[in-house]
Amino acid sequence: MNVLVFLIPVSLILGGIGLAAFLWSLRNDQYEDLEGDAWRILSEDDDAPTPRD
């Protein structure tokens, strides 16, 4: 039972860090264009670098 004195605060701290990271990502518009990234992977661009000999 003594281990709970250690594990409960550690889990609350880790949960707080996760929540802070999520809120940071929301404020910095990380979820702004989810569809664009998916389509960019599938498109064939002519801007691809050419291999050098």
Side-chain angles (χ1 to χ4, degrees), residues 23-41:
L23 292 175
W24 173 84
S25 67
L26 282 178
R27 288 188 186 134
N28 289 317
D29 297 328
Q30 296 294 315
Y31 303 109
E32 188 67 31
D33 185 22
L34 297 177
E35 292 289 323
D37 289 335
W39 285 106
R40 240 175 277 138
I41 291 172

Side-chain angles (χ1 to χ4, degrees), residues 5-21:
V5 174
F6 176 71
L7 289 179
I8 291 174
V10 168
S11 66
L12 290 175
I13 291 170
L14 288 176
I17 291 171
L19 180 63

